[in-house]
Amino acid sequence: MDKGFLFSLSLFKYGLGLHGKEKNKPVSHVIGKPDEKNNSLQCPVRLIYQDGSICDIYVYLVKSASDWKVNQIEFKKEEPEESS
């Protein structure tokens, strides 16, 4: 995590329900191709849970010296399905 942004990790864990003893936790992930945005990288990640459900997030990375640090974690907003 980027210096000063550790609170984002706590909020992320809370948003995923990892603050308690929930049984359905992520067991796998898929990382998508990063996209450069305003001197940072936006990286899509799909989390796959034990029950087969998914959660899509974006991880934002910034360059700090020679390392990349997580600056922000954002839940992807789900678009409502169109009814036919």
Side-chain angles (χ1 to χ4, degrees), residues 11-74:
L11 293 174
F12 172 67
K13 290 175 97 176
Y14 186 83
L16 285 179
L18 299 179
H19 58 285
K21 295 188 180 239
E22 289 79 5
K23 293 180 182 175
N24 192 28
K25 295 185 179 184
V27 293
S28 181
H29 64 275
V30 178
I31 300 173
K33 181 180 177 185
D35 185 23
E36 189 168 353
K37 301 225 182 236
N38 301 327
N39 298 323
S40 68
L41 292 178
Q42 177 189 43
C43 189
V45 178
R46 173 166 281 181
L47 301 173
I48 304 161
Y49 289 83
Q50 292 171 339
D51 68 357
S53 62
I54 60 169
C55 177
D56 292 327
I57 61 172
Y58 291 113
V59 176
Y60 294 87
L61 305 163
V62 293
K63 188 93 171 186
S64 176
S66 62
D67 297 324
W68 287 94
K69 303 282 184 175
V70 175
N71 180 268
Q72 180 182 354
I73 303 169
E74 176 182 285

